């Protein structure tokens, strides 16, 4: 026994010799080998080519050893002292592997043919893992996405830690590509065609699944507690209890040709309906998954071809570019070091205030929330508590976590603002009224320390105007969240000429700590970036309806086919006609040249029961937050007679928005075209497939735009 | 003059009605026994037992039930306190539990006694149903007719009582919570106060939620375990709702149509008992007992107000106390006020935080604003979460207050209760 122990430990040292990424985890006295991935200098484990090559080398060495060992127990390397089980896990807590290294895709985008060789190597590794003479187990602790999951799927067994930390998914489609590391082939073999389609296609919305859900699908063999992960992984490999009894039957059934074709055609139809058919990767993914009945080698070959095909598309270029822009925006550093805000507070507990407060407590801030009206506080509490309950139900939080999060919130109502004493960062979200904001903020200032920052959540009022009412205008900045603030990742932030650099730096730090994508607007203006561009588009879309009698539903769907996540009329319904009209009027008053003249005396809010989604009726009939069908009576209501479909309206609306975007760039409101694009994509869902309004600039990736869409 | 001090106190967990099938005496005996266990000399030292109780003072023919009109005496004898030690019970409705320790303190101050036990006890599940005079007359008539075998009369009586012997009892619980002068139920009084002070349902529910959350935190942190002795297998106050949400409270229908008082922002019906050991300071030191707080008989006041505004009784009592003693509102580092209803506490705070109203009452500076006041008031939640066993509540406030003052190192603390019938009692204690 002692001899074998020594053998295994020296084996590990020999295997790992010269490696950077895979480390051996010391074992008990059993004949197993545990390798933990630990990418140096990275927060999360990512699969780079080097990581995979190292793993491949280790496996080669093991295989060589296995071949040379003899069944004779008296020999130097007897079989029974050879590691019986290989466990792959991560040395980073909460991150098994977050997927492939996106930066390594960039040269591939310019030269898609090189992808073939790379994928070949990857596929060989997968086959190596699958054909290993000893079981290989993936012990998943934390995030397991994309390439990480594909690596895990190649293993014989998967064991995952239960609870909210473990998130499993294949979000490749969100980048305009398909899982290319065997994902589309092995996943349907494990969970069946339908579930595989669900997991991969939902990946386009970055949907992730918990370990428990995946265990139900049959992907994860066992869900265990964090402490027992390695132990359970070994036990499972030795006992060989697979979690696939129910699944295997459906896998076989779904592989029957007729069933397969039916499921695939249904998936295609659904994708055309949901994504408007403008993301080719989804259809390539469906095609690739459909090859799962072929022998694995053939399937992988076809997957490789489809992957290269995806890389050639403009959409993949654009979506990968957005991913990098997102990283750039999130990594934005302030120009000076400041004390990080620790005790934020929210003034105003309306729709925005409460979701901002929720977002704050979810990021671990002890937050105070205040509103003049007790009824707003009640509504805010109901909102926050129900969101927490939903998070628990979804498995994103444990009940204890939810309770702890709820305990971070304190609240007060009424006249007195004394509870703001000692707060270092106040986000103000009261109604958009200059006088009210000024008086409330002045009252608030009495209770604040000198270096406390006030960030006003406004887009229609100028921070410099609000600052006029303050004792210390230097502390005021603007932080414009989007509704609902706990879901929308975007925050536009802007200072006024007098804002102190410290206040700006603190605001940026706060946005980053709230895990938002901060878009720094360089010069204040009414509407900031997103609302200015969006509202101009809306103004002209409405003009098309009123003046040109363009059918609004056709225009919506045409714009959605162009790349809008949601057409302007549908968005108007969601915003609410009354609010939308108010903002539109304000913007039209501010920038009269940019809006059609007819908009000035056009009444949108005619009837109280037709105010968009909140009343269940607008341009669409709404049920449970979803637009069900067109509400034809709107035309009568707005006195539009005889609407017709006119596709030439699409470029007119888009051009209006483009002009506004260029104007914003030209006026120096936002100096970076990339950031304007990112703001429009995250804030309004405008054309992720075209990478926003400007598209990829030549300087970012000179030849990436040269490829024609396939 | 003697100097009464609070040596120690203990309570049973406060249990929602129907949790345990025990009588008020059982509750009382349990806490007195715990004091005897902690202080083995108690039986020799104790000079009096004063009970606070309202609704369990009835004669049971079944002696196994053991409740009687002077429940303190029954508890004392049951608990094994020598028969020579006198015991009496006080009744000032909800403030009985505060009045009992005050009685003991007063006797010690007068150097009448050295040591006494105050027992606040209430078993609201054991409240009787009472037959009114008319019903009793009917019973008597029926009995006479049976005796004389007057069949005609018997049948007539049967018809009168709908063929069966008529039972139309008065439920003591219901009458006990109705003001006979104002002819209003207590929750109607709460509604009235809410209206008078402009309190919306949101204010009340937020207060109710806060009380539950504070109590939940205190229970989970083990804070209450310091004052509780296990009783009949129960270790924790079971009225505390962990994870109470605003949505749950907002859903409840009001007790009276158009009102704002709901079960979620009112105190619960609860059983419980509290025993406090009070002694002369010199005596306690000689016995080597710990000292929690000093009680000054003068630092106590009771006052009256309109019966239909009984919730603001404490304000009258506090005003009287402040005028009498020269203390200021700002002196009190902690305040325990009985949360009979959220509206009651909120209207008290509305007065005590308003400059004009405080000036009107002649009590000087107000308490600061509502939010600041909430940092001092009922820091461990109150009767909305824990329940309000009428005669025991006052003693619990005193015990919770004394322990919290020790924890937070606060010098002066105020315990106050509103009293059904339009009164208030307030007592200030000093940490040693």
């Amino acid at each position: 026994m002692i001899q074998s122990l020594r053998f295994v430990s020296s084996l590990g040292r020999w295997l790992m010799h010269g490696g950077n990424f895979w480390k051996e985890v010391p074992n008990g006295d059993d004949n197993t080998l545990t390798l933990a991935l630990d990418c140096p200098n990275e927060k999360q484990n990512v699969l780079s080519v080097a990581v995979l090559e190292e793993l491949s080398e280790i496996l080669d060495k093991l295989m060589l050893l296995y071949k040379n060992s003899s069944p004779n127990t008296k020999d130097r390397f007897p079989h029974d002292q050879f590691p019986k089980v290989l466990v792959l896990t991560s040395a980073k807590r909460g991150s098994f592997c977050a997927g492939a290294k996106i930066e390594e895709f960039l040269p591939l985008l310019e030269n898609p043919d090189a992808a073939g060789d790379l994928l070949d190597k990857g596929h060989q590794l997968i086959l190596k893992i699958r054909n290993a003479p000893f079981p290989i187990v993936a012990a998943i602790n934390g995030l397991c996405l994309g390439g990480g999951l594909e690596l895990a799927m190649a293993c014989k067994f998967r064991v995952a830690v239960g609870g909210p930390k473990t998130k499993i998914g294949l979000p490749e489609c969100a980048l305009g590509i398909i899982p290319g590391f065997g994902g589309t082939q092995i996943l349907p073999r494990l969970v069946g065609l339908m579930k595989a389609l669900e997991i991969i296609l939902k990946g386009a919305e970055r949907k992730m699944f918990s370990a428990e859900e995946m265990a139900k699908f049959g992907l994860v063999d066992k869900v265990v507690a964090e402490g027992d992960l390695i132990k359970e992984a070994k036990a499972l490999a030795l006992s060989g209890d697979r979690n696939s009894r129910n699944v295997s039957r459906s896998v076989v059934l779904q592989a029957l040709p007729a069933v397969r074709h039916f499921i695939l055609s249904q998936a295609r139809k659904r994708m055309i309906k949901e994504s408007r058919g403008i993301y080719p990767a989804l259809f390539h993914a469906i095609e690739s998954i459909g090859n799962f009945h072929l022998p694995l080698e053939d399937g992988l070959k076809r997957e490789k071809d489809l992957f290269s095909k995806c890389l050639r598309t403009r959409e993949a270029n654009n979506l990968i570019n957005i991913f990098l822009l997102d990283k750039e925006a999130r990594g934005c550093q302030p120009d000076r070091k400041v004390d990080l805000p620790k005790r934020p507070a929210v003034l105003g507990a309306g729709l925005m205030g409460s979701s901002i407060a929720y977002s704050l407590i979810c990021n671990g801030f002890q937050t105070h929330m205040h509103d003049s009206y007790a009824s707003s506080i009640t509504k805010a509490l109901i909102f926050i508590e129900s969101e927490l309950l939903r998070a628990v139900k979804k498995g994103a939080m444990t009940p204890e976590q939810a309770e702890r999060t709820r305990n971070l919130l304190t609240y007060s109502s009424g006249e007195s603002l004394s509870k703001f004493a000692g707060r270092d960062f106040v986000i103000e979200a009261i109604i958009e009224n200059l006088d009210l904001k000024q008086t409330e903020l002045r009252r608030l200032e009495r209770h604040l320390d000198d270096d406390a920052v006030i960030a006003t959540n406004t887009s229609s009022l100028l921070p410099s105007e609000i600052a006029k009412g303050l004792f210390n205008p230097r502390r005021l900045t603007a932080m414009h969240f989007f509704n609902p603030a706990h879901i929308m990742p975007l925050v536009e932030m802007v200072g006024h000429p007098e804002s102190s650099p410290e206040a700006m730096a603190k605001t940026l730090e706060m946005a980053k700590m709230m895990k938002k994508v901060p878009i720094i607007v360089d010069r204040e203006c009414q509407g900031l970036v997103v609302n200015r561009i969006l509202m101009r588009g809306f103004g002209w879309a409405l003009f098309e309806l009123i003046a040109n009698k363009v059918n609004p539903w056709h225009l919506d769907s045409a714009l959605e086919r162009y790349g809008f996540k949601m057409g302007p009329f549908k968005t108007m319904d969601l915003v609410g006609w009354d609010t939308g009209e108010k903002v539109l009027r304000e913007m039209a008053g501010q920038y009269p040249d940019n809006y059609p003249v007819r908009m000035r005396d056009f009444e949108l809010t005619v009837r109280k029961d037709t105010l968009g989604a909140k009343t269940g009726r607008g341009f669409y009939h709404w049920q449970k937050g979803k637009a069900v069908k067109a509400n034809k009576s709107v035309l009568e209501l707005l006195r539009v007679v005889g609407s017709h479909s006119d596709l030439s309206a699409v470029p007119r609306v888009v051009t209006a928005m483009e002009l506004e975007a260029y104007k914003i760039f030209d006026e120096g409101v936002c100096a970076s075209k990339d950031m304007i694009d990112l703001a429009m994509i995250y804030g309004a869902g405008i054309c992720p497939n075209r990478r926003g309004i400007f598209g990829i600039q030549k300087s970012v990736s000179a030849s990436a735009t040269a490829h024609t869409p396939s | 003059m003697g100097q009464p001090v609070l040596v120690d106190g203990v309570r049973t967990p406060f249990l929602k009605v129907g949790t345990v099938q025990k009588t008020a005496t059982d509750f009382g005996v349990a806490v007195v026994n715990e004091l005897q266990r902690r202080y083995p000399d108690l039986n020799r030292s104790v000079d009096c037992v004063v009970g606070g109780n309202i609704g369990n003072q009835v004669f049971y023919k079944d002696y196994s039930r053991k409740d009687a009109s002077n429940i303190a005496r029954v508890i004392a004898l049951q608990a094994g306190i020598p028969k020579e030690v006198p015991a009496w019970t006080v009744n000032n409705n909800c403030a009985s539990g505060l009045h009992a320790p005050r009685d003991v303190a007063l006797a010690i101050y007068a150097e009448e006694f050295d040591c006494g036990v105050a027992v606040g006890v209430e078993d609201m599940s054991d409240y009787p149903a009472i037959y009114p005079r008319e019903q009793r007359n009917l019973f008597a008539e029926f009995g006479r007719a049976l005796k004389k075998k007057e069949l005609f009369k018997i049948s007539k009586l049967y018809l009168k009582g709908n063929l069966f012997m008529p039972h139309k009892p008065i439920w003591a619980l219901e009458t006990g919570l109705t003001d006979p002068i104002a002819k209003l139920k207590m929750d109607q009084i709460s509604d009235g106060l809410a209206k008078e002070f402009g309190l919306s349902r949101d204010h009340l529910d937020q207060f109710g939620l806060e009380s539950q959350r504070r109590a939940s935190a205190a229970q989970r942190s083990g804070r209450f375990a310091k004052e509780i002795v296990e009783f009949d297998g129960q270790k924790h106050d079971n009225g505390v709702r962990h994870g109470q949400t605003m949505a749950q409270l907002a859903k409840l229908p009001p007790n009276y149509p158009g009102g704002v008082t709901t079960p979620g922002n009112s105190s619960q019906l609860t059983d419980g008992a509290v025993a406090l050991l009070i002694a002369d300071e010199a005596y306690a030191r000689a016995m080597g007992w710990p000292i929690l707080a000093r009680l000054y008989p003068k630092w106590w006041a009771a006052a009256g107000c309109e019966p239909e505004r009984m919730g603001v009784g404490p304000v009258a009592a506090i005003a009287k106390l402040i005028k009498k003693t020269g203390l200021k509102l700002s002196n009190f580092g902690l305040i325990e006020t009985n949360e009979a209803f959220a509206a009651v506490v909120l209207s008290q705070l509305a007065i005590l935080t308003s400059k004009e109203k405080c000036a009107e009452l002649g009590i000087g500076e107000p308490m600061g604003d509502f939010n600041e006041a909430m940092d001092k008031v009922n820091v461990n939640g109150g009767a909305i979460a824990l329940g309000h066993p009428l005669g025991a509540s006052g003693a619990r406030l005193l015990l919770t207050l004394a322990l919290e003052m020790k924890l937070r190192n606060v010098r002066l603390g105020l315990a106050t209760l509103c009293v059904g019938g339009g009164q208030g009692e307030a007592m200030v204690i000093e940490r040693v």
Side-chain angles (χ1 to χ4, degrees):
Chain A
M1 198 64 202
I2 289 167
Q3 195 193 358
S4 83
L5 224 178
R6 205 177 294 142
F7 168 69
V8 168
S9 71
S10 62
L11 171 83
R13 227 175 296 144
W14 174 67
L15 283 173
M16 251 42 80
H17 183 70
N20 297 320
F21 302 103
W22 294 93
K23 308 258 155 48
E24 192 203 359
V25 177
N27 273 336
D29 49 358
D30 49 356
N31 257 359
T32 60
L33 188 63
T34 307
L35 298 183
L37 178 60
D38 190 3
C39 295
N41 310 325
E42 300 259 10
K43 260 190 205 163
Q44 308 236 332
N45 283 332
V46 285
L47 285 188
S48 55
V49 176
V51 171
L52 294 179
E53 275 173 356
E54 197 180 311
L55 181 64
S56 175
E57 230 169 83
I58 292 171
L59 286 174
D60 282 344
K61 281 183 188 173
L62 269 175
M63 234 70 96
L64 192 74
L65 205 67
Y66 190 80
K67 245 183 240 163
N68 290 339
S69 67
S70 96
N72 186 353
T73 45
K74 279 176 192 152
D75 219 328
R76 198 158 154 240
F77 289 126
H79 253 5
D80 65 336
Q81 288 193 5
F82 194 83
K84 286 197 187 72
V85 178
L86 175 61
V87 180
L88 299 181
T89 184
S90 147
K92 288 186 164 64
R93 282 183 79 193
S95 169
F96 176 75
C97 178
K101 200 166 186 178
I102 303 295
E103 283 77 1
E104 288 186 349
F105 283 177
L106 296 181
L108 297 184
L109 285 173
E110 288 166 31
N111 181 17
D113 301 325
D117 301 338
L118 192 75
L119 290 186
D120 268 341
K121 270 189 205 161
H123 290 160
Q124 273 160 23
L125 175 61
I126 284 177
L127 293 175
K128 225 178 267 176
I129 294 175
R130 281 177 75 90
N131 300 333
F134 41 87
I136 302 183
V137 196
I140 301 167
N141 47 349
L143 220 52
C144 177
L145 302 175
L149 177 58
E150 293 174 281
L151 181 68
M153 284 194 299
C155 297
K156 192 153 187 191
F157 303 102
R158 282 147 300 278
V159 180
V161 174
K165 264 194 193 160
T166 303
K167 287 175 187 155
I168 304 174
L170 287 173
E172 277 91 344
C173 287
L175 295 176
I177 51 178
I178 63 170
F181 185 31
T184 61
Q185 295 308 305
I186 302 178
L187 185 61
R189 285 174 164 77
L190 286 172
V191 300
L193 186 55
M194 289 211 334
K195 290 288 179 224
L197 282 169
E198 185 187 336
I199 293 169
I200 291 176
L201 298 180
K202 281 271 171 67
E205 299 151 24
R206 297 183 192 282
K207 162 106 177 154
M208 296 175 216
F209 299 85
S210 67
E212 288 82 1
E213 277 172 296
M214 279 303 197
K216 227 179 271 166
F217 292 172
L219 182 73
V220 168
D221 294 297
K222 198 164 187 190
V223 180
V224 298
E226 191 165 357
D228 308 333
L229 183 65
I230 305 294
K231 205 175 76 196
E232 291 280 353
K234 288 172 192 167
L236 185 76
L238 291 172
S239 68
D241 283 339
R242 306 205 53 141
N243 164 26
S244 53
R245 205 164 156 266
N246 299 332
V247 177
S248 59
R249 215 175 296 151
S250 67
V251 171
V252 173
L253 185 72
Q254 289 171 13
L256 295 174
V259 181
R260 196 176 69 231
H261 286 307
F262 177 71
I263 293 173
L264 290 173
S265 75
Q266 287 298 315
R268 276 193 200 100
K269 268 184 207 157
R270 210 181 66 227
M271 278 304 117
I272 288 174
K273 204 175 150 207
E274 281 179 10
S275 72
R276 303 279 167 188
I278 52 176
Y279 294 98
L282 295 173
F283 299 96
H284 290 327
I286 293 172
E287 191 184 337
S288 184
I289 298 168
N291 291 333
F292 86 108
H293 62 289
L294 298 177
L296 187 59
E297 280 82 358
D298 296 353
L300 289 176
K301 211 171 277 166
R302 298 203 183 179
E303 181 188 89
K304 185 182 74 184
D305 294 342
L306 285 165
F307 186 85
S308 310
K309 218 170 172 184
C310 281
L311 277 182
R312 284 196 176 85
T313 59
R314 198 180 51 177
E315 283 76 11
N317 273 292
N318 289 335
L319 292 171
I320 290 174
N321 197 270
I322 294 171
F323 180 86
L324 298 176
L325 276 185
D326 173 284
K327 223 170 163 183
E328 186 189 325
R330 282 180 203 264
C332 174
Q333 290 296 332
D335 55 352
R336 61 193 63 214
K337 259 199 128 56
V338 283
D339 296 337
L340 296 181
K342 286 189 186 68
R343 304 188 69 225
V346 180
L347 179 62
L351 210 60
M352 286 308 286
S354 49
S355 59
I356 293 171
Y358 178 66
S359 175
L360 281 167
I361 57 171
C362 282
N363 286 300
F365 286 103
Q366 201 285 310
T367 308
H368 185 79
M369 174 172 76
H370 179 94
D371 198 287
S372 309
Y373 302 101
S375 52
S376 313
I377 292 284
T378 304
K379 277 186 208 131
L381 284 176
I382 291 176
F383 163 76
I384 287 171
E385 281 164 355
S386 60
E387 283 297 319
L388 283 170
L389 278 180
R390 194 183 314 169
V392 171
K393 216 178 265 172
K394 271 201 321 203
M397 266 190 211
T398 59
E400 295 78 38
Q401 255 177 327
E403 182 65 29
R404 229 176 301 140
T405 309
R406 171 65 180 81
N407 284 341
L408 291 173
L409 183 77
T410 56
Y411 51 86
S412 61
S413 62
E415 281 292 292
S416 158
L417 298 174
S418 59
K419 280 279 171 183
F420 283 88
R423 297 282 162 182
D424 50 12
F425 196 95
V426 181
I427 298 173
E428 169 271 317
I430 55 180
I431 55 169
E432 299 268 86
N433 176 322
L434 186 62
D435 287 341
L436 191 73
K437 279 199 194 239
Q438 283 182 342
T439 44
E440 284 295 299
L441 290 184
R442 202 158 43 222
R443 254 164 29 84
L444 172 69
E445 269 196 297
R446 294 206 181 96
H447 300 279
L448 294 180
D449 294 337
D450 291 337
D451 55 349
V453 177
I454 301 176
T456 165
N457 176 43
T458 183
S459 73
S460 65
L461 297 171
L462 290 178
S464 58
E465 291 287 321
I466 300 172
K468 277 181 194 155
L470 263 64
F471 293 117
N472 175 10
R474 292 172 54 77
R475 68 167 80 205
L476 185 85
T477 64
M479 215 175 170
H480 184 223
F481 290 87
F482 289 79
N483 185 29
H486 59 293
I487 293 171
M488 298 290 274
L490 185 68
V491 171
E492 292 173 313
M493 38 175 294
V494 68
H496 59 99
E498 275 186 70
S499 299
S500 72
E502 283 80 19
M504 284 305 289
K506 278 187 186 176
T507 312
L508 178 58
E509 292 287 6
M510 193 71 217
K512 281 170 69 182
M513 284 192 286
M514 289 173 80
K515 300 203 178 75
K516 299 286 174 199
V517 179
I519 300 291
I520 300 172
V521 179
D522 302 292
R523 235 194 56 202
E524 56 171 2
C525 70
Q526 252 104 354
L528 296 175
V529 175
V530 174
N531 275 2
R532 251 181 92 166
I533 299 177
L534 199 64
M535 280 303 146
R536 183 156 174 189
F538 280 16
W540 287 97
L542 269 177
F543 172 83
E544 294 293 340
L545 169 67
I546 307 157
N548 291 348
K549 316 242 180 281
V550 172
N551 182 318
W553 306 287
H554 287 192
L555 184 54
D556 256 10
S557 83
L559 282 168
E560 278 163 18
R561 281 200 301 277
Y562 181 78
F564 285 32
K565 276 259 169 69
M566 203 182 273
F569 297 102
K570 206 181 272 177
T571 314
M572 197 65 149
D573 273 5
L574 270 183
V575 172
W577 284 18
D578 42 352
T579 323
E581 192 183 9
K582 198 170 148 256
V583 180
L584 205 54
R585 248 172 236 295
E586 257 165 31
M587 298 301 290
Q590 198 60 37
Y591 308 98
D593 298 347
N594 297 350
Y595 286 83
V597 177
R598 279 165 204 251
M599 275 300 304
R600 279 177 211 162
D601 43 34
F602 176 68
E603 290 268 324
L604 187 59
T605 315
V606 192
R607 278 172 56 170
K608 277 262 183 289
D609 63 342
T610 313
L611 293 177
K614 58 185 170 185
T615 54
R617 211 173 338 166
F619 289 106
Y620 294 84
H621 286 288
W622 290 82
Q623 265 167 22
K624 288 182 190 161
K626 286 214 168 93
V628 197
K629 58 175 184 187
N631 179 13
K632 299 275 186 209
S633 63
V634 163
L635 295 181
E636 218 171 288
L637 190 71
L638 300 177
R639 290 186 295 280
V640 179
V641 193
S643 72
H644 62 285
S645 173
D646 181 3
L647 283 181
S648 69
V650 173
R652 287 199 292 272
V653 173
V654 173
T655 309
M657 296 172 84
E658 264 172 15
L659 283 173
E660 192 69 29
Y662 273 101
K663 212 171 163 193
I664 284 172
F665 176 66
D666 180 38
E667 286 171 359
V669 168
C670 188
S672 159
K673 285 183 181 171
D674 289 340
M675 288 303 135
I676 296 178
D677 274 355
L678 194 62
M680 289 314 289
I681 291 163
Y682 279 163
I686 301 296
C687 303
N689 60 335
R690 291 163 199 269
R691 218 220 62 172
I693 290 172
F694 295 107
I696 297 178
Q697 302 300 299
K698 286 270 188 279
S699 59
V700 177
S701 167
S703 53
T705 44
H707 299 296
T708 47
S710 60
Chain B
M1 295 289 140
Q3 172 58 62
V5 290
L6 179 61
V7 173
D8 199 357
V10 65
R11 67 179 176 96
T12 65
F14 279 14
L15 304 170
K16 289 193 280 190
V17 289
T19 310
V20 292
Q21 304 303 320
K22 294 282 180 183
T23 64
T25 315
D26 297 332
F27 276 91
V29 169
V31 282
V32 173
N33 280 343
E34 173 64 14
L35 279 186
Q36 285 166 328
R37 193 187 65 75
R38 288 185 194 177
Y39 305 96
D41 311 328
L42 188 68
N43 278 359
R44 265 175 287 136
S45 312
V46 68
D47 294 320
C48 70
V49 176
V50 183
N53 177 268
I54 305 170
N56 300 107
Q57 313 224 33
V58 284
F59 299 95
Y60 278 114
K61 202 173 180 183
D62 174 7
Y63 290 107
S64 68
R65 302 288 288 176
K66 291 181 201 112
D67 283 353
S69 67
N70 181 4
I71 198 168
R73 178 69 178 163
V74 186
I75 291 172
L77 290 177
Q78 280 279 314
I81 284 179
K83 61 181 184 303
E84 293 79 15
V85 177
W88 67 91
T89 309
V90 296
N91 181 351
N92 184 14
N93 278 356
C94 310
S96 310
L98 194 63
H99 207 102
R102 138 95 183 168
D103 252 18
V104 180
L106 203 59
I108 291 170
Y109 180 72
E111 295 188 337
E112 204 172 319
F113 298 135
D114 281 331
C115 168
V117 173
V119 193
V121 55
E122 203 74 46
D123 190 348
M124 294 180 87
S125 357
D126 221 5
Y127 272 17
I130 304 157
Y131 289 117
R133 185 185 298 244
E134 300 76 41
Q135 183 79 63
R136 289 198 306 273
N137 287 346
L138 207 63
F139 281 150
E141 231 175 295
F142 197 80
R144 270 197 302 277
L146 268 180
K147 216 170 190 176
K148 290 182 184 170
K149 300 197 173 80
E150 297 170 340
L151 282 176
F152 173 69
K153 211 168 180 186
I154 291 172
S155 57
K156 215 171 83 182
L157 280 165
Y158 259 125
L159 281 174
K160 212 171 173 183
N162 289 335
L163 289 178
F164 293 103
M165 190 59 223
H167 282 273
K168 280 182 199 149
I170 297 171
W171 298 95
L173 194 61
E174 205 181 334
T175 21
L177 295 175
T178 310
D179 192 292
I181 307 294
K183 297 194 174 53
L184 289 172
K185 293 246 172 75
M186 288 299 147
D187 27 13
Q188 286 171 309
I189 293 180
S190 158
D191 279 345
L193 281 173
K195 205 170 179 188
E196 178 185 341
F197 289 91
L199 301 167
S200 67
R201 172 82 184 266
D202 301 300
H203 289 108
L204 267 53
D205 281 352
Q206 278 166 34
F207 186 87
L209 183 66
E210 187 65 21
S211 178
Q212 285 285 359
R213 294 186 57 79
R214 286 179 179 192
S216 160
Q219 191 177 75
R220 287 205 167 140
S221 70
R223 161 70 184 77
F224 285 144
K226 289 178 186 169
E227 44 191 70
I228 293 178
V229 58
E230 188 179 331
F231 177 70
D232 202 35
Q234 301 283 336
K235 283 183 189 157
H236 299 293
D237 306 313
N238 63 3
V240 181
R241 292 189 284 269
H242 298 291
Q244 170 97 70
T245 65
M246 198 63 195
Q248 291 165 347
L249 290 180
K251 247 189 337 218
L252 294 169
N255 290 4
Y256 286 93
V260 287
T261 306
T262 68
N265 56 40
S266 323
S267 56
Q268 306 171 18
L269 300 178
T270 303
D271 309 334
V274 188
L276 302 173
L277 174 56
I278 298 163
D280 181 55
E281 184 166 357
Y283 184 83
R285 285 193 196 284
M287 296 295 289
W289 289 346
I291 294 172
L292 264 181
R294 285 198 189 93
L295 312 172
Y296 297 97
K298 276 187 184 163
W299 285 5
W300 172 91
C305 66
E306 304 87 335
E308 61 273 17
R309 292 175 79 231
M310 67 91 198
V312 293
V315 177
I318 291 168
K320 206 167 176 182
L321 184 113
I322 284 175
K323 278 183 208 153
K324 196 160 85 172
T325 57
L327 292 168
K328 287 192 291 257
L329 277 173
S330 56
N331 289 141
F332 311 132
L334 282 169
I335 295 176
E336 284 287 329
T337 176
N338 190 34
E339 294 169 1
F341 298 95
V344 158
V345 181
L346 290 176
S347 37
Q348 289 162 16
L349 289 179
I351 299 176
L352 293 179
T353 56
S354 139
K355 209 161 191 165
E356 299 82 51
K357 285 184 177 150
C358 281
E360 210 173 286
L361 286 165
I363 54 174
E365 279 297 298
M367 276 177 70
D369 64 41
F370 172 78
N371 299 321
E372 286 162 356
M374 278 300 283
D375 290 340
K376 293 182 183 178
V377 172
N378 295 3
V379 289
N380 291 314
I384 291 176
L386 302 177
H388 178 23
L390 309 173
S393 283
R396 183 194 70 81
L397 293 186
L398 211 57
L399 174 60
T400 306
L401 176 66
L403 288 172
E404 195 63 28
M405 279 162 68
K406 193 175 155 196
L407 273 177
R408 300 197 179 202
N409 207 3
V410 166
R411 193 179 145 244
L412 290 181
L414 175 83
T416 180
L417 295 97
C418 54
V419 180
Q423 292 190 74
E425 274 198 27
M427 187 192 262
V428 177
I429 59 176
E430 183 192 35
R431 184 182 53 81
V432 177

